[in-house]
Amino acid sequence: MAFKRLSRRQFAGITAWSVVGVSSLSAGSSQAAPAREDGSPNRGPSSSFPSGFLWGTATSSYQIEGAVNEDGRGPSIWDRFAHTHGTISDQSNADTATDHYRRYKEDVQLMKALGAKAYRFSIAWPRVFSEGAGTPNPKGLDFYNRLLDELSANDIEPFATLYHWDLPQALQDRSGGWTSRDTSKAFADYAAYVAERLSDRVKHFFTINECSRLVHLGHGIGADAPGLKLSQSELNQVRHNVALGHGLAVQAVRAHGRAGTRVGPAENAVSCIPAIETPANIRAAEIATRELNAGYLTVMLEGKYTDVFLAQAGNDAPKYTAEDLRIISSPIDFVGLNVYTPDHYVVAADNERGFTLAPFPASFPHMNAAWLRPGPEAIYWVPRHVAKLWNVKSIYITENGTSGSDQPAADGTVYDVDRIMYLRNYLTQLQRATSEGVPVLGYFLWSLMDNFEWSDGFEQRFGLYRVDFDTKRRTPKLSASFYRETIARNGVA
Ligand code: PNW
């Protein structure tokens, strides 16, 4: 097929893949080891990840699939939002996106060419229930059956996200979407249906991608679908309903999935980094992590809102029952963490909270996206805090990556050395975490290919593969070579 021609030529042109096996150097020597026979530097035992560490890539349905009117799919809040004037910076929408709906076989080959053994994708709720609830649409689910069979034929393990923001528009219209607990319940019914039918092949489900972003950007500042700007009390209720939806979905997957099906959230926890790694600052960063994630990971893992959270919310606190909290904190099998950037550098302080959040100096650098400040240590501290605070035993990095300007050079190649710099530093910090026993089991790079970056339209490219959005042609960037090398040696290349 076309990709095979392309991959050999392109990959070989980009870099000579040095065939380096998984390094299994014997531990115990503290001396620097000599360079290896193939000339690559030998970083010694500390540069590799635990054996069995899972390497993958991640995408989401609305960002890549296109085919929004195909096979009975109903409209989602993102279709409506993107088609509303002034919402998307380049006035685009994801009606065709990367055309993954038709090109999924080619895309599985892109993963295979990287040597990736896992793939995190999301299921479009409006494909499965065009009206959000009621009569299912088997043709919609069939797409995921085809995708799963293709992944399985290529020895790639599927990790499915049940909700990556494409709420059926019918639920928004009928009951106000996440402002109503009817949506939390509809989400559980959809989760049950999917788990029943796909858990023969999907062993890992993520409930909701990034509760915090869908709450704040979607319902607080209106920058994401459904574009609402709610009051503080309404926003707190949305946050609670979303957490409740997570808990109900955990229970639904347990009740309807095959034995051994695993389930957990995929959250972009507010990341709190000790500004200087002293014991006092580390402790302060832990306290900040617990407080600043009170409505999300903290309530999911502790089954209660923190006192500080409730005191701050005052009369605007969400309305809930003790049963809600029990559901929200249903036991999970792992925590998925999307880690892009340090949200806060933390300094211990002798104040009521016990910490100060350092303001970011104007001179702090950022990647192509203005929000994406590189702080590789975030991917060390976030899983470490989560493991320590809540005794979590299994963690996946469900997203990490960066956008770049990604202009092809004269020879046609995208030499995205900024992305490689970013990834190398983050993966070095992730390896620091695993080498210290932080239980991170796998890593999903965002993203397999350029895609529709929400309100940034097609202006922010996050892919290892460049997508020409006119022809939909996929071309590996230099970072695809970097990632393939890293996977092959199970260590940072
Ligand atoms: C994630 N931040 O969003 C989403 O899960 C993806 O769908 C998205 O494409 C990707 O990251 C890249 O943006 C985030 O401001 C967006 O910290 C913004 C932030 C974090 C995550």
Side-chain angles (χ1 to χ4, degrees), residues 60 63 120 164-165 209-210 213 217 268 338 340-341 343 371-372 399 446 451-454 462:
S60 89
Q63 294 181 272
R120 172 174 179 243
H164 202 123
W165 311 347
N209 181 69
E210 297 192 357
R213 178 159 162 171
L217 272 68
N268 61 331
N338 295 357
Y340 287 90
T341 192
D343 293 309
W371 61 267
L372 218 171
E399 291 180 25
W446 186 273
N451 56 52
F452 179 77
E453 176 57 16
W454 308 113
F462 275 82

PDB file of all heavy atoms in Angstrom, residues 60 63 120 164-165 209-210 213 217 268 338 340-341 343 371-372 399 446 451-454 462, ligand 1:
ATOM      1  N   SER A  60      -8.066  11.588  19.290  1.00  0.00           N
ATOM      2  CA  SER A  60      -9.474  11.550  19.730  1.00  0.00           C
ATOM      3  C   SER A  60     -10.396  11.639  18.518  1.00  0.00           C
ATOM      4  O   SER A  60     -10.007  12.163  17.462  1.00  0.00           O
ATOM      5  CB  SER A  60      -9.776  12.683  20.700  1.00  0.00           C
ATOM      6  OG  SER A  60     -10.202  13.838  20.008  1.00  0.00           O
ATOM      7  N   GLN A  63     -11.271  14.969  16.601  1.00  0.00           N
ATOM      8  CA  GLN A  63     -10.087  15.626  16.050  1.00  0.00           C
ATOM      9  C   GLN A  63      -9.557  14.953  14.784  1.00  0.00           C
ATOM     10  O   GLN A  63      -8.824  15.584  14.028  1.00  0.00           O
ATOM     11  CB  GLN A  63      -8.992  15.687  17.114  1.00  0.00           C
ATOM     12  CG  GLN A  63      -9.379  16.587  18.279  1.00  0.00           C
ATOM     13  CD  GLN A  63      -8.301  16.670  19.336  1.00  0.00           C
ATOM     14  OE1 GLN A  63      -8.254  15.857  20.256  1.00  0.00           O
ATOM     15  NE2 GLN A  63      -7.414  17.637  19.232  1.00  0.00           N
ATOM     16  N   ARG A 120      -4.181   4.842  22.002  1.00  0.00           N
ATOM     17  CA  ARG A 120      -5.307   5.428  22.733  1.00  0.00           C
ATOM     18  C   ARG A 120      -6.143   6.254  21.758  1.00  0.00           C
ATOM     19  O   ARG A 120      -5.624   7.181  21.126  1.00  0.00           O
ATOM     20  CB  ARG A 120      -4.796   6.310  23.882  1.00  0.00           C
ATOM     21  CG  ARG A 120      -5.903   7.084  24.554  1.00  0.00           C
ATOM     22  CD  ARG A 120      -5.444   7.862  25.782  1.00  0.00           C
ATOM     23  NE  ARG A 120      -6.579   8.583  26.326  1.00  0.00           N
ATOM     24  CZ  ARG A 120      -6.675   9.903  26.398  1.00  0.00           C
ATOM     25  NH1 ARG A 120      -5.675  10.683  26.008  1.00  0.00           N
ATOM     26  NH2 ARG A 120      -7.767  10.464  26.873  1.00  0.00           N
ATOM     27  N   HIS A 164     -14.325  12.052  24.816  1.00  0.00           N
ATOM     28  CA  HIS A 164     -13.315  13.085  24.567  1.00  0.00           C
ATOM     29  C   HIS A 164     -14.038  14.291  23.958  1.00  0.00           C
ATOM     30  O   HIS A 164     -13.748  14.723  22.853  1.00  0.00           O
ATOM     31  CB  HIS A 164     -12.208  12.549  23.657  1.00  0.00           C
ATOM     32  CG  HIS A 164     -10.909  13.291  23.746  1.00  0.00           C
ATOM     33  ND1 HIS A 164      -9.709  12.679  24.065  1.00  0.00           N
ATOM     34  CD2 HIS A 164     -10.609  14.604  23.558  1.00  0.00           C
ATOM     35  CE1 HIS A 164      -8.732  13.582  24.054  1.00  0.00           C
ATOM     36  NE2 HIS A 164      -9.250  14.769  23.741  1.00  0.00           N
ATOM     37  N   TRP A 165     -15.066  14.737  24.696  1.00  0.00           N
ATOM     38  CA  TRP A 165     -15.704  16.042  24.498  1.00  0.00           C
ATOM     39  C   TRP A 165     -16.785  16.138  23.424  1.00  0.00           C
ATOM     40  O   TRP A 165     -17.403  17.196  23.282  1.00  0.00           O
ATOM     41  CB  TRP A 165     -14.664  17.149  24.264  1.00  0.00           C
ATOM     42  CG  TRP A 165     -13.545  17.175  25.265  1.00  0.00           C
ATOM     43  CD1 TRP A 165     -13.480  16.518  26.457  1.00  0.00           C
ATOM     44  CD2 TRP A 165     -12.310  17.894  25.162  1.00  0.00           C
ATOM     45  NE1 TRP A 165     -12.293  16.792  27.106  1.00  0.00           N
ATOM     46  CE2 TRP A 165     -11.546  17.626  26.323  1.00  0.00           C
ATOM     47  CE3 TRP A 165     -11.783  18.739  24.181  1.00  0.00           C
ATOM     48  CZ2 TRP A 165     -10.292  18.178  26.549  1.00  0.00           C
ATOM     49  CZ3 TRP A 165     -10.521  19.295  24.405  1.00  0.00           C
ATOM     50  CH2 TRP A 165      -9.784  19.011  25.566  1.00  0.00           C
ATOM     51  N   ASN A 209     -12.039  12.267  29.185  1.00  0.00           N
ATOM     52  CA  ASN A 209     -10.772  12.953  28.976  1.00  0.00           C
ATOM     53  C   ASN A 209     -10.822  14.359  29.557  1.00  0.00           C
ATOM     54  O   ASN A 209     -11.672  15.160  29.189  1.00  0.00           O
ATOM     55  CB  ASN A 209     -10.460  13.056  27.477  1.00  0.00           C
ATOM     56  CG  ASN A 209      -9.120  13.745  27.237  1.00  0.00           C
ATOM     57  OD1 ASN A 209      -8.074  13.189  27.548  1.00  0.00           O
ATOM     58  ND2 ASN A 209      -9.154  14.974  26.726  1.00  0.00           N
ATOM     59  N   GLU A 210      -9.902  14.625  30.471  1.00  0.00           N
ATOM     60  CA  GLU A 210      -9.702  15.975  30.993  1.00  0.00           C
ATOM     61  C   GLU A 210     -10.996  16.641  31.444  1.00  0.00           C
ATOM     62  O   GLU A 210     -11.451  17.629  30.842  1.00  0.00           O
ATOM     63  CB  GLU A 210      -9.011  16.862  29.956  1.00  0.00           C
ATOM     64  CG  GLU A 210      -7.626  16.390  29.603  1.00  0.00           C
ATOM     65  CD  GLU A 210      -6.825  17.412  28.811  1.00  0.00           C
ATOM     66  OE1 GLU A 210      -7.365  18.473  28.491  1.00  0.00           O
ATOM     67  OE2 GLU A 210      -5.640  17.151  28.553  1.00  0.00           O
ATOM     68  N   ARG A 213     -10.767  20.487  31.703  1.00  0.00           N
ATOM     69  CA  ARG A 213     -10.851  21.367  30.546  1.00  0.00           C
ATOM     70  C   ARG A 213     -12.282  21.473  30.024  1.00  0.00           C
ATOM     71  O   ARG A 213     -12.736  22.538  29.623  1.00  0.00           O
ATOM     72  CB  ARG A 213      -9.903  20.905  29.442  1.00  0.00           C
ATOM     73  CG  ARG A 213     -10.040  21.797  28.236  1.00  0.00           C
ATOM     74  CD  ARG A 213      -8.879  21.801  27.290  1.00  0.00           C
ATOM     75  NE  ARG A 213      -9.314  22.351  26.020  1.00  0.00           N
ATOM     76  CZ  ARG A 213      -8.515  22.652  25.020  1.00  0.00           C
ATOM     77  NH1 ARG A 213      -7.219  22.470  25.125  1.00  0.00           N
ATOM     78  NH2 ARG A 213      -8.981  23.140  23.903  1.00  0.00           N
ATOM     79  N   LEU A 217     -13.211  25.297  30.146  1.00  0.00           N
ATOM     80  CA  LEU A 217     -13.233  25.940  28.835  1.00  0.00           C
ATOM     81  C   LEU A 217     -14.605  25.830  28.178  1.00  0.00           C
ATOM     82  O   LEU A 217     -15.038  26.722  27.464  1.00  0.00           O
ATOM     83  CB  LEU A 217     -12.132  25.362  27.928  1.00  0.00           C
ATOM     84  CG  LEU A 217     -10.798  26.099  28.079  1.00  0.00           C
ATOM     85  CD1 LEU A 217     -10.183  25.872  29.424  1.00  0.00           C
ATOM     86  CD2 LEU A 217      -9.828  25.738  26.981  1.00  0.00           C
ATOM     87  N   ASN A 268      -6.078  15.793  33.118  1.00  0.00           N
ATOM     88  CA  ASN A 268      -4.918  16.703  33.089  1.00  0.00           C
ATOM     89  C   ASN A 268      -4.873  17.386  34.456  1.00  0.00           C
ATOM     90  O   ASN A 268      -5.341  18.508  34.624  1.00  0.00           O
ATOM     91  CB  ASN A 268      -4.983  17.725  31.953  1.00  0.00           C
ATOM     92  CG  ASN A 268      -6.186  18.636  32.032  1.00  0.00           C
ATOM     93  OD1 ASN A 268      -7.219  18.250  32.544  1.00  0.00           O
ATOM     94  ND2 ASN A 268      -6.049  19.845  31.541  1.00  0.00           N
ATOM     95  N   ASN A 338      -2.691  13.278  31.592  1.00  0.00           N
ATOM     96  CA  ASN A 338      -2.218  14.057  30.453  1.00  0.00           C
ATOM     97  C   ASN A 338      -1.268  15.108  31.011  1.00  0.00           C
ATOM     98  O   ASN A 338      -1.680  15.928  31.844  1.00  0.00           O
ATOM     99  CB  ASN A 338      -3.382  14.757  29.754  1.00  0.00           C
ATOM    100  CG  ASN A 338      -4.362  13.778  29.109  1.00  0.00           C
ATOM    101  OD1 ASN A 338      -4.152  12.572  29.123  1.00  0.00           O
ATOM    102  ND2 ASN A 338      -5.433  14.308  28.535  1.00  0.00           N
ATOM    103  N   TYR A 340       1.402  18.062  29.950  1.00  0.00           N
ATOM    104  CA  TYR A 340       2.003  18.890  28.917  1.00  0.00           C
ATOM    105  C   TYR A 340       2.963  19.929  29.468  1.00  0.00           C
ATOM    106  O   TYR A 340       3.988  20.225  28.884  1.00  0.00           O
ATOM    107  CB  TYR A 340       0.917  19.628  28.119  1.00  0.00           C
ATOM    108  CG  TYR A 340       0.140  18.744  27.175  1.00  0.00           C
ATOM    109  CD1 TYR A 340      -1.022  18.106  27.584  1.00  0.00           C
ATOM    110  CD2 TYR A 340       0.577  18.552  25.869  1.00  0.00           C
ATOM    111  CE1 TYR A 340      -1.734  17.300  26.713  1.00  0.00           C
ATOM    112  CE2 TYR A 340      -0.127  17.751  24.992  1.00  0.00           C
ATOM    113  CZ  TYR A 340      -1.273  17.121  25.424  1.00  0.00           C
ATOM    114  OH  TYR A 340      -1.971  16.313  24.563  1.00  0.00           O
ATOM    115  N   THR A 341       2.575  20.490  30.627  1.00  0.00           N
ATOM    116  CA  THR A 341       3.234  21.735  31.013  1.00  0.00           C
ATOM    117  C   THR A 341       3.153  21.925  32.530  1.00  0.00           C
ATOM    118  O   THR A 341       2.246  21.389  33.169  1.00  0.00           O
ATOM    119  CB  THR A 341       2.508  22.899  30.264  1.00  0.00           C
ATOM    120  OG1 THR A 341       3.249  24.093  30.363  1.00  0.00           O
ATOM    121  CG2 THR A 341       1.105  23.133  30.762  1.00  0.00           C
ATOM    122  N   ASP A 343       1.886  23.728  35.476  1.00  0.00           N
ATOM    123  CA  ASP A 343       0.874  24.767  35.714  1.00  0.00           C
ATOM    124  C   ASP A 343       1.338  25.741  36.782  1.00  0.00           C
ATOM    125  O   ASP A 343       1.065  26.932  36.708  1.00  0.00           O
ATOM    126  CB  ASP A 343      -0.457  24.134  36.131  1.00  0.00           C
ATOM    127  CG  ASP A 343      -1.061  23.334  34.997  1.00  0.00           C
ATOM    128  OD1 ASP A 343      -1.176  23.892  33.892  1.00  0.00           O
ATOM    129  OD2 ASP A 343      -1.387  22.152  35.196  1.00  0.00           O
ATOM    130  N   TRP A 371       0.249  28.521  25.479  1.00  0.00           N
ATOM    131  CA  TRP A 371       0.011  27.930  26.796  1.00  0.00           C
ATOM    132  C   TRP A 371       1.021  26.841  27.139  1.00  0.00           C
ATOM    133  O   TRP A 371       1.139  26.440  28.299  1.00  0.00           O
ATOM    134  CB  TRP A 371      -1.414  27.366  26.881  1.00  0.00           C
ATOM    135  CG  TRP A 371      -1.744  26.274  25.890  1.00  0.00           C
ATOM    136  CD1 TRP A 371      -2.315  26.448  24.656  1.00  0.00           C
ATOM    137  CD2 TRP A 371      -1.534  24.863  26.036  1.00  0.00           C
ATOM    138  NE1 TRP A 371      -2.470  25.229  24.029  1.00  0.00           N
ATOM    139  CE2 TRP A 371      -2.005  24.238  24.852  1.00  0.00           C
ATOM    140  CE3 TRP A 371      -0.988  24.046  27.044  1.00  0.00           C
ATOM    141  CZ2 TRP A 371      -1.953  22.853  24.643  1.00  0.00           C
ATOM    142  CZ3 TRP A 371      -0.936  22.670  26.838  1.00  0.00           C
ATOM    143  CH2 TRP A 371      -1.414  22.090  25.649  1.00  0.00           C
ATOM    144  N   LEU A 372       1.747  26.383  26.136  1.00  0.00           N
ATOM    145  CA  LEU A 372       2.573  25.198  26.361  1.00  0.00           C
ATOM    146  C   LEU A 372       4.003  25.571  26.752  1.00  0.00           C
ATOM    147  O   LEU A 372       4.914  25.599  25.927  1.00  0.00           O
ATOM    148  CB  LEU A 372       2.540  24.297  25.122  1.00  0.00           C
ATOM    149  CG  LEU A 372       2.519  22.802  25.411  1.00  0.00           C
ATOM    150  CD1 LEU A 372       2.270  21.982  24.143  1.00  0.00           C
ATOM    151  CD2 LEU A 372       3.725  22.315  26.142  1.00  0.00           C
ATOM    152  N   GLU A 399      -1.408  11.424  27.681  1.00  0.00           N
ATOM    153  CA  GLU A 399      -1.021  12.374  26.634  1.00  0.00           C
ATOM    154  C   GLU A 399       0.219  13.114  27.065  1.00  0.00           C
ATOM    155  O   GLU A 399       0.351  13.487  28.246  1.00  0.00           O
ATOM    156  CB  GLU A 399      -2.120  13.433  26.364  1.00  0.00           C
ATOM    157  CG  GLU A 399      -3.360  12.891  25.708  1.00  0.00           C
ATOM    158  CD  GLU A 399      -4.416  13.974  25.456  1.00  0.00           C
ATOM    159  OE1 GLU A 399      -4.055  15.168  25.342  1.00  0.00           O
ATOM    160  OE2 GLU A 399      -5.602  13.611  25.369  1.00  0.00           O
ATOM    161  N   TRP A 446       0.962  12.393  22.340  1.00  0.00           N
ATOM    162  CA  TRP A 446      -0.015  13.193  21.607  1.00  0.00           C
ATOM    163  C   TRP A 446       0.734  14.031  20.602  1.00  0.00           C
ATOM    164  O   TRP A 446       1.514  14.890  21.022  1.00  0.00           O
ATOM    165  CB  TRP A 446      -0.817  14.100  22.551  1.00  0.00           C
ATOM    166  CG  TRP A 446      -1.914  14.801  21.801  1.00  0.00           C
ATOM    167  CD1 TRP A 446      -1.818  15.981  21.121  1.00  0.00           C
ATOM    168  CD2 TRP A 446      -3.254  14.327  21.624  1.00  0.00           C
ATOM    169  NE1 TRP A 446      -3.017  16.266  20.527  1.00  0.00           N
ATOM    170  CE2 TRP A 446      -3.912  15.277  20.816  1.00  0.00           C
ATOM    171  CE3 TRP A 446      -3.957  13.191  22.043  1.00  0.00           C
ATOM    172  CZ2 TRP A 446      -5.244  15.133  20.420  1.00  0.00           C
ATOM    173  CZ3 TRP A 446      -5.275  13.060  21.663  1.00  0.00           C
ATOM    174  CH2 TRP A 446      -5.905  14.030  20.854  1.00  0.00           C
ATOM    175  N   ASN A 451      -3.926  17.168  13.666  1.00  0.00           N
ATOM    176  CA  ASN A 451      -5.384  17.017  13.661  1.00  0.00           C
ATOM    177  C   ASN A 451      -6.060  18.338  14.014  1.00  0.00           C
ATOM    178  O   ASN A 451      -5.392  19.364  14.158  1.00  0.00           O
ATOM    179  CB  ASN A 451      -5.794  15.883  14.617  1.00  0.00           C
ATOM    180  CG  ASN A 451      -5.277  16.080  16.018  1.00  0.00           C
ATOM    181  OD1 ASN A 451      -5.482  17.145  16.615  1.00  0.00           O
ATOM    182  ND2 ASN A 451      -4.577  15.079  16.561  1.00  0.00           N
ATOM    183  N   PHE A 452      -7.351  18.281  14.173  1.00  0.00           N
ATOM    184  CA  PHE A 452      -8.139  19.479  14.484  1.00  0.00           C
ATOM    185  C   PHE A 452      -7.930  19.833  15.950  1.00  0.00           C
ATOM    186  O   PHE A 452      -8.379  19.100  16.832  1.00  0.00           O
ATOM    187  CB  PHE A 452      -9.626  19.195  14.206  1.00  0.00           C
ATOM    188  CG  PHE A 452     -10.529  20.350  14.525  1.00  0.00           C
ATOM    189  CD1 PHE A 452     -10.621  21.450  13.680  1.00  0.00           C
ATOM    190  CD2 PHE A 452     -11.300  20.341  15.679  1.00  0.00           C
ATOM    191  CE1 PHE A 452     -11.465  22.517  13.978  1.00  0.00           C
ATOM    192  CE2 PHE A 452     -12.145  21.408  15.984  1.00  0.00           C
ATOM    193  CZ  PHE A 452     -12.218  22.496  15.129  1.00  0.00           C
ATOM    194  N   GLU A 453      -7.210  20.926  16.185  1.00  0.00           N
ATOM    195  CA  GLU A 453      -6.837  21.278  17.556  1.00  0.00           C
ATOM    196  C   GLU A 453      -7.880  22.237  18.148  1.00  0.00           C
ATOM    197  O   GLU A 453      -7.590  23.369  18.510  1.00  0.00           O
ATOM    198  CB  GLU A 453      -5.409  21.861  17.556  1.00  0.00           C
ATOM    199  CG  GLU A 453      -4.884  22.376  18.870  1.00  0.00           C
ATOM    200  CD  GLU A 453      -4.872  21.367  20.035  1.00  0.00           C
ATOM    201  OE1 GLU A 453      -4.992  20.156  19.811  1.00  0.00           O
ATOM    202  OE2 GLU A 453      -4.744  21.832  21.184  1.00  0.00           O
ATOM    203  N   TRP A 454      -9.101  21.761  18.235  1.00  0.00           N
ATOM    204  CA  TRP A 454     -10.187  22.470  18.913  1.00  0.00           C
ATOM    205  C   TRP A 454     -10.286  23.934  18.458  1.00  0.00           C
ATOM    206  O   TRP A 454     -10.273  24.175  17.249  1.00  0.00           O
ATOM    207  CB  TRP A 454     -10.018  22.319  20.433  1.00  0.00           C
ATOM    208  CG  TRP A 454      -9.862  20.869  20.832  1.00  0.00           C
ATOM    209  CD1 TRP A 454      -8.752  20.263  21.355  1.00  0.00           C
ATOM    210  CD2 TRP A 454     -10.841  19.813  20.695  1.00  0.00           C
ATOM    211  NE1 TRP A 454      -8.981  18.910  21.573  1.00  0.00           N
ATOM    212  CE2 TRP A 454     -10.258  18.614  21.179  1.00  0.00           C
ATOM    213  CE3 TRP A 454     -12.161  19.748  20.231  1.00  0.00           C
ATOM    214  CZ2 TRP A 454     -10.929  17.386  21.200  1.00  0.00           C
ATOM    215  CZ3 TRP A 454     -12.833  18.527  20.250  1.00  0.00           C
ATOM    216  CH2 TRP A 454     -12.217  17.379  20.741  1.00  0.00           C
ATOM    217  N   PHE A 462       0.240  18.937  16.282  1.00  0.00           N
ATOM    218  CA  PHE A 462       0.831  18.148  17.372  1.00  0.00           C
ATOM    219  C   PHE A 462       1.359  16.786  16.910  1.00  0.00           C
ATOM    220  O   PHE A 462       1.833  15.990  17.728  1.00  0.00           O
ATOM    221  CB  PHE A 462      -0.219  17.887  18.475  1.00  0.00           C
ATOM    222  CG  PHE A 462      -0.355  18.994  19.487  1.00  0.00           C
ATOM    223  CD1 PHE A 462      -1.134  20.114  19.233  1.00  0.00           C
ATOM    224  CD2 PHE A 462       0.291  18.922  20.715  1.00  0.00           C
ATOM    225  CE1 PHE A 462      -1.265  21.134  20.183  1.00  0.00           C
ATOM    226  CE2 PHE A 462       0.163  19.933  21.666  1.00  0.00           C
ATOM    227  CZ  PHE A 462      -0.620  21.044  21.394  1.00  0.00           C
TER     228      PHE A 462
HETATM  229  C1  PNW B   1      -5.370  18.164  25.482  1.00  0.00           C
HETATM  230  N1  PNW B   1      -3.550  23.350  28.888  1.00  0.00           N
HETATM  231  O1  PNW B   1      -5.858  19.423  25.751  1.00  0.00           O
HETATM  232  C2  PNW B   1      -6.501  17.383  24.841  1.00  0.00           C
HETATM  233  O2  PNW B   1      -6.835  16.213  25.523  1.00  0.00           O
HETATM  234  C3  PNW B   1      -6.289  17.092  23.394  1.00  0.00           C
HETATM  235  O3  PNW B   1      -7.508  16.793  22.758  1.00  0.00           O
HETATM  236  C4  PNW B   1      -5.567  18.241  22.746  1.00  0.00           C
HETATM  237  O4  PNW B   1      -5.504  18.147  21.366  1.00  0.00           O
HETATM  238  C5  PNW B   1      -4.180  18.274  23.366  1.00  0.00           C
HETATM  239  O5  PNW B   1      -4.221  18.333  24.768  1.00  0.00           O
HETATM  240  C6  PNW B   1      -3.318  19.411  22.876  1.00  0.00           C
HETATM  241  O6  PNW B   1      -3.863  20.646  23.228  1.00  0.00           O
HETATM  242  C7  PNW B   1      -5.173  20.350  26.519  1.00  0.00           C
HETATM  243  O7  PNW B   1      -3.804  24.536  28.621  1.00  0.00           O
HETATM  244  C8  PNW B   1      -5.243  21.673  26.141  1.00  0.00           C
HETATM  245  O8  PNW B   1      -2.809  23.064  29.866  1.00  0.00           O
HETATM  246  C9  PNW B   1      -4.720  22.653  26.924  1.00  0.00           C
HETATM  247  C10 PNW B   1      -4.080  22.325  28.107  1.00  0.00           C
HETATM  248  C11 PNW B   1      -3.973  21.007  28.473  1.00  0.00           C
HETATM  249  C12 PNW B   1      -4.516  20.031  27.678  1.00  0.00           C
END
